[in-house]
Amino acid sequence: MQQTDIFGKVFLPICVLCCALLVLFSLIATPNQAMAEENDMGAIGAKLADPLGELWSINFNLELLKTYDGDINKGDPKLGSDTIFQPVMAIPLAGEGESEFRLITRPIIPLIFSQPVPTGFDEFDHKTGIGDMQLPLVFSVPNKYAGNWILGAGPVGMFPTATEDELGKDQWAAGTAVALGYKTKKWTGVLFHNHFWKIGESGQDENTPDINQGSLLYQFIYNLPDAWQVGTNPTITYDIQASSGNKWNVPVGLFVGKTTKIGKVPVNIKAGVEYSVVSQEDFGKLFAFRLQVTPVIPRMIKEPLFGK
């Protein structure tokens, strides 16, 4: 069995199983004090809207019925699907309450179920596997000093973990992660920007352009009665090294969500659609149906690492 077969047929199902076990753990785990005190599902949903908030969670972002099209495709749009597995961990560093300094890590682990890959003009293959993982480490400004503002920054890394060459860049990369937003009782708006530059390569294809790319999550969430929410949270992607007409993908979208309890644990569920008003001319994503499932889990680290 070739290495790609091992990863695609063995390692990927193991990862999916691990994800399922983590969700199961989150559903049967005993809620911590912060969760027990927060019985208002609407308040929990509002806290989850803050990417630098105190809650720990496991986010599954499923993009289903994704369509891809472009100049090299002469037939119907090609279909694909994937999910982003993203644990969100807010690690207390110093202080407490409104004065708490936190390190927020939101690792991005792409699990690709089916990715259309051009192999020639109007010729395509479909790949399954894991993409390049990302690890942002964002230091947040405490609420005491930021007020209603959401402020944070830190380093971010990208790792050549793709199980197929077509699913990654075969390079190590690092850069900056910056979060800027504002929140009220009714709504939360956030911009979360990551940018990467190549710092090394894993060596499979020396002709691959050096990484110089990034993403921008723009999010607006409005809180409705009975723990419902409406809003938008697409992610713009860009690649400075790509050819003209293929640098940007700019989606717009809309979702409806609700926070409820499954077992003992609050779970935020969103369903929505996105359409790319700017897409890569050669071949890029056009449309996706998104389903996000985010169970809240107990904080694994409760006391500040460097004292109160």
Side-chain angles (χ1 to χ4, degrees):
M1 184 181 292
Q2 296 181 351
Q3 184 179 16
T4 54
D5 292 334
I6 294 174
F7 279 116
K9 297 181 180 179
V10 179
F11 186 57
L12 178 61
I14 291 175
C15 287
V16 174
L17 176 61
C18 290
C19 294
L21 290 175
L22 283 171
V23 172
L24 178 62
F25 166 77
S26 72
L27 297 179
I28 65 176
T30 302
N32 62 12
Q33 183 177 0
M35 292 169 56
E37 292 174 352
E38 193 61 88
N39 293 318
D40 184 349
M41 294 296 102
I44 292 177
K47 286 186 176 182
L48 286 173
D50 180 355
L52 306 184
E54 63 179 312
L55 296 182
W56 287 45
S57 62
I58 301 174
N59 182 32
F60 288 88
N61 179 17
L62 291 92
E63 289 198 338
L64 309 172
L65 302 176
K66 293 174 68 174
T67 63
Y68 296 80
D69 206 354
D71 293 342
I72 65 173
N73 178 36
K74 295 304 178 182
D76 295 332
K78 304 305 178 185
L79 291 176
S81 62
D82 58 51
T83 185
I84 299 294
F85 170 60
Q86 185 177 48
V88 180
M89 296 162 283
I91 301 172
L93 298 177
E96 59 181 341
E98 295 293 301
S99 300
E100 183 177 88
F101 287 87
R102 303 186 192 111
L103 170 65
I104 293 87
T105 177
R106 302 164 59 88
I108 296 173
I109 306 172
L111 305 176
I112 294 99
F113 304 130
S114 179
Q115 174 67 46
V117 176
T119 58
F121 183 77
D122 205 27
E123 297 180 354
F124 299 88
D125 192 6
H126 282 76
K127 297 294 183 180
T128 299
I130 298 174
D132 289 342
M133 298 182 188
Q134 300 177 19
L135 179 62
L137 301 172
V138 180
F139 297 89
S140 67
V141 177
N143 293 336
K144 178 180 178 180
Y145 309 107
N148 287 350
W149 288 95
I150 298 170
L151 302 171
V156 60
M158 180 186 294
F159 310 98
T161 54
T163 55
E164 299 278 357
D165 290 344
E166 295 84 355
L167 302 180
K169 291 294 186 71
D170 286 327
Q171 297 175 21
W172 299 82
T176 56
V178 178
L180 172 64
Y182 194 83
K183 58 186 176 182
T184 71
K185 290 183 179 180
K186 287 292 187 181
W187 58 268
T188 300
V190 178
L191 298 174
F192 200 115
H193 179 246
N194 292 326
H195 190 89
F196 300 91
W197 294 272
K198 173 186 173 181
I199 59 174
E201 61 186 35
S202 59
Q204 290 204 6
D205 186 357
E206 296 180 356
N207 295 321
T208 301
D210 293 350
I211 288 177
N212 187 1
Q213 66 186 55
S215 64
L216 175 64
L217 165 70
Y218 67 99
Q219 170 183 284
F220 181 85
I221 296 178
Y222 190 84
N223 302 312
L224 298 171
D226 198 25
W228 285 91
Q229 295 174 320
V230 295
T232 185
N233 59 353
T235 298
I236 298 170
T237 58
Y238 62 91
D239 186 348
I240 294 176
Q241 299 286 55
S243 60
S244 177
N246 295 290
K247 296 181 183 294
W248 291 86
N249 192 285
V250 182
V252 296
L254 181 68
F255 72 77
V256 176
K258 182 177 175 61
T259 304
T260 186
K261 274 192 175 181
I262 299 179
K264 299 179 180 180
V265 175
V267 180
N268 181 265
I269 302 172
K270 299 184 183 77
V273 294
E274 290 184 1
Y275 178 80
S276 295
V277 294
V278 177
S279 181
Q280 293 86 348
E281 291 181 358
D282 288 347
F283 191 70
K285 184 181 77 170
L286 286 183
F287 171 85
F289 171 77
R290 292 180 64 189
L291 177 64
Q292 292 179 268
V293 180
T294 308
V296 178
I297 64 173
R299 295 179 72 171
M300 304 299 178
I301 302 175
K302 300 178 182 179
E303 298 297 325
L305 299 181
F306 304 105
K308 298 180 179 180

